Amino acid sequence: MYFLIASIIEVFTNHVASGASSASVLAIASVCLLQYVVYTMKMSAVRKENAEFQQHYHDVEEELNDVQSDRAMTLIENHILREFVAQSEFDQTIDLLLKRYVPSIREGLGLYLNRVNGEFKVRDSRGITRNSKAVFEFDERQLKQLKTQNVIILRGQELRNSKIYQCFDEQDKPRIHKLCLLAVYDKNTISGVFLTTNLYPDGVDEQQQIKLAKRLLVCVSRNIVKNQDYESYRFELRVTREQLELRALADQQFKTPVIMLEEFLDRLRLLTNSSRASLFLSTPHDFSNCKSIVDCGMTLQAGVKTRWKEHELTLVRLGLNSGENTSLSGEQLENHGVRSLIGAALVSPLITNRKRIGAICLTNQECQPFDERALRLISWASQFLSNTLLKVLNHANIEKQARQDGLTGLVNRRSFDELIDNAFGRAQAAQSACSLILIDLDHFKSINDTYGHQAGDEVLRRVARILQDRIKEIRSSDNVIAARYGGEELAILLPEIGLAGAERIAEVIRHSIETAAIEFNDTRIPVTASLGLSTYTPQAMESVQTLVAAADGALYQAKSDGRNRVCSLTSAPV
């Protein structure tokens, strides 16, 4: 513009100086101005056309980049889908996707939550510690947002305030700078959620990552749901098969009902991968007096076993008080005082006629919580035993009564003859010791004649209690058997105990009988006993009859030598 004005002024000045008229000068100036306007319009059109060309070029370039990016993302998507379809196992598929989204567990973590009965439970994970929760909670707002957007990303304060973040262990939280939630759908319902600290692939714009994630979820959800249905079918089939296995085991013929319970419980332990399993009985409405009647599993040292049983008792009382299945692990156990030995526990109460009569307790050294299958199996087992346990215990009581002497509560003669045959056979096979003590109450007929038969019965009952008390003090008391051999004659079988040990035990029993304060109708009755014992020796004894005859001969010797003493055929009177 300045150039135009200067040109016009210069033309005007030159023409005036040369004597040209003002009209001519004005006409020339107008022509110049018009030429400049035309030139300016042309240049403006050129610039506009150039700008449009540049914009078109830029649009084409961006479109080309988008096409190339979409092609690259499609290739990635197709590659993942091919890998996914190639997997035949559901867990392998989930594991593959987690590895895609979490290539390095040092830098990130991920897990897949499977929705079961309204709860989001960890199905598979990568990079998280064992102490993270097995069930994750969602904020309702975030869950609604996830339903509409399919993919959401939590950062900053929103992440730290979320329920999901609180479910992670403190060791995991430092690696969580953002959390990506990817929903898997079954029709219009969220059937599962991927939680990852990164999206895929690295180095790509986040919006592109989200687009890829959404496209993958659309393609993958169908297969995941299909696999979940298949897994659910397999799960139900397996649980049913294992329940039938337990039922068939309980229907078999066992020597005693207690043996059946032991076999049943041990099989349940193996099916649930537990370290130990115990069956407790309790008095309804009074759970302080719980008692373990059957336990099985790995062998524990004496001190460890005592502590483990204390923990079991604590857990059983907890389960009985709640009245429902109780699964505890890690910090949950510590909160109830179980801070050692047991890493996970599962308790299921036995309920009959709305009364809690006992509980099954499964315990494990590992901290990994019991899974859904274990919960289903113990629930079925507790229901099954609730319906059958009273019958089993009634049979056990009947059997116990059939094996017991009605007056003394000791093993009766018929059962004792079977037990001594078995013990003698084991001693022969192992070439180990086995001793027998025969006990005869001195002048028992005189007691009956002097104090009456009821007094004689009371004497037998009191002496039987003395034998039971002394047996409890013997290290191998689980195998020691006390029996009423006949009339006033009693017997004690001592498997794996030699002559010297048998003599010490016999003398303790003799002294306990002699010093016992036995009263009937406010009258003290003096009681003594003669004891004869024998010990199995491979060279001298070939049968049970030989062992019994030797003990009987020693008893006769004790009576002949003045009664109230212990004799054996291989030792002098004590």
Side-chain angles (χ1 to χ4, degrees), residues 4 8 93 155 158 212 239 287 293 457 525:
L4 175 62
I8 293 174
T93 301
R155 290 185 174 90
E158 183 184 16
L212 174 62
V239 170
F287 307 137
I293 62 169
D457 290 346
I525 303 173

Side-chain angles (χ1 to χ4, degrees), residues 26 47 92 118 160 162 174 225 266 277 297 305 353 358 418 488 544:
L26 183 62
R47 285 195 295 270
Q92 293 177 355
R160 289 186 290 274
S162 65
V225 170
D266 193 52
K305 186 174 183 179
N353 298 327
E418 294 178 3
E488 70 274 16
V544 172

Side-chain angles (χ1 to χ4, degrees), residues 164-180:
I164 303 173
Y165 184 75
Q166 303 307 321
C167 294
F168 286 98
D169 184 70
E170 292 299 324
Q171 296 181 31
D172 293 329
K173 289 179 181 178
R175 288 179 293 151
I176 306 176
H177 305 294
K178 70 175 181 180
L179 196 61
C180 310

Side-chain angles (χ1 to χ4, degrees), residues 391-461:
K391 296 179 183 178
V392 168
L393 293 178
N394 286 337
H395 289 157
N397 288 332
I398 293 171
E399 182 181 84
K400 184 178 179 181
Q401 292 171 6
R403 295 170 62 87
Q404 280 185 338
D405 173 64
L407 176 64
T408 63
L410 302 178
V411 173
N412 59 30
R413 174 63 183 273
R414 178 179 61 83
S415 298
F416 183 76
D417 287 342
E418 294 178 3
L419 294 170
I420 197 172
D421 278 338
N422 293 335
F424 189 86
R426 289 194 298 271
Q428 276 188 317
Q431 294 292 287
S432 61
C434 182
S435 297
L436 171 67
I437 302 174
L438 292 181
I439 307 166
D440 189 78
L441 299 182
D442 297 330
H443 306 297
F444 187 73
K445 184 177 182 302
S446 176
I447 293 174
N448 283 332
D449 293 342
T450 303
Y451 303 102
H453 286 279
Q454 289 183 340
D457 290 346
E458 179 62 20
V459 168
L460 283 171
R461 280 192 288 266

Side-chain angles (χ1 to χ4, degrees), residues 168-441:
F168 286 98
D169 184 70
E170 292 299 324
Q171 296 181 31
D172 293 329
K173 289 179 181 178
R175 288 179 293 151
I176 306 176
H177 305 294
K178 70 175 181 180
L179 196 61
C180 310
L181 285 64
L182 292 72
V184 174
Y185 279 88
D186 180 6
K187 297 179 181 178
N188 295 323
T189 305
I190 295 178
S191 64
V193 177
F194 282 98
L195 301 181
T196 67
T197 52
N198 296 294
L199 287 175
Y200 180 80
D202 287 335
V204 176
D205 179 72
E206 188 174 275
Q207 291 303 315
Q208 289 279 33
Q209 292 176 330
I210 292 175
K211 288 180 182 179
L212 174 62
K214 288 183 177 181
R215 289 202 299 269
L216 282 175
L217 289 172
V218 171
C219 300
V220 166
S221 288
R222 189 182 302 107
N223 286 334
I224 288 182
V225 170
K226 183 178 178 180
N227 274 319
Q228 283 180 334
D229 291 341
Y230 177 64
E231 286 289 313
S232 177
Y233 170 76
R234 288 180 58 187
F235 173 81
E236 293 294 335
L237 189 64
R238 180 178 179 182
V239 170
T240 302
R241 185 178 66 250
E242 290 171 343
Q243 290 173 353
L244 291 174
E245 183 179 339
L246 288 170
R247 179 59 186 265
L249 181 66
D251 290 340
Q252 292 179 18
Q253 294 295 323
F254 290 93
K255 201 168 185 179
T256 67
V258 173
I259 294 176
M260 183 278 286
L261 290 174
E262 289 176 346
E263 292 289 335
F264 183 92
L265 210 62
D266 193 52
R267 190 58 190 158
L268 176 64
R269 179 187 66 83
L270 293 173
L271 290 173
T272 56
N273 299 316
S274 306
S275 298
R276 288 186 64 80
S278 297
L279 175 63
F280 284 77
L281 291 185
S282 67
T283 304
H285 311 300
D286 181 15
F287 307 137
S288 61
N289 192 26
C290 296
K291 183 179 180 182
S292 173
I293 62 169
V294 176
D295 62 77
C296 55
M298 66 179 187
T299 304
L300 302 172
Q301 295 179 350
V304 174
K305 186 174 183 179
T306 300
R307 188 63 177 160
W308 196 293
K309 283 186 170 294
E310 290 174 357
H311 288 332
E312 285 181 333
L313 192 57
T314 299
L315 295 167
V316 165
R317 287 172 180 164
L318 184 66
L320 287 172
N321 282 319
S322 71
E324 57 188 20
N325 293 331
T326 303
S327 180
L328 302 170
S329 62
E331 291 183 1
Q332 296 171 314
L333 287 172
E334 293 182 6
N335 292 337
H336 293 284
V338 182
R339 296 183 174 87
S340 62
L341 301 179
I342 298 174
L346 183 57
V347 179
S348 183
L350 276 61
I351 302 175
T352 299
N353 298 327
R354 298 183 180 180
K355 295 180 180 179
R356 302 165 203 171
I357 61 171
I360 300 173
C361 181
L362 300 177
T363 48
N364 211 334
Q365 285 184 308
E366 300 293 330
C367 293
Q368 190 70 22
F370 284 92
D371 59 15
E372 181 69 18
R373 187 174 60 85
L375 185 61
R376 288 279 298 275
L377 283 177
I378 197 174
S379 297
W380 180 88
S382 61
Q383 288 182 338
F384 176 75
L385 289 184
S386 295
N387 296 328
T388 62
L389 188 58
L390 293 179
K391 296 179 183 178
V392 168
L393 293 178
N394 286 337
H395 289 157
N397 288 332
I398 293 171
E399 182 181 84
K400 184 178 179 181
Q401 292 171 6
R403 295 170 62 87
Q404 280 185 338
D405 173 64
L407 176 64
T408 63
L410 302 178
V411 173
N412 59 30
R413 174 63 183 273
R414 178 179 61 83
S415 298
F416 183 76
D417 287 342
E418 294 178 3
L419 294 170
I420 197 172
D421 278 338
N422 293 335
F424 189 86
R426 289 194 298 271
Q428 276 188 317
Q431 294 292 287
S432 61
C434 182
S435 297
L436 171 67
I437 302 174
L438 292 181
I439 307 166
D440 189 78
L441 299 182

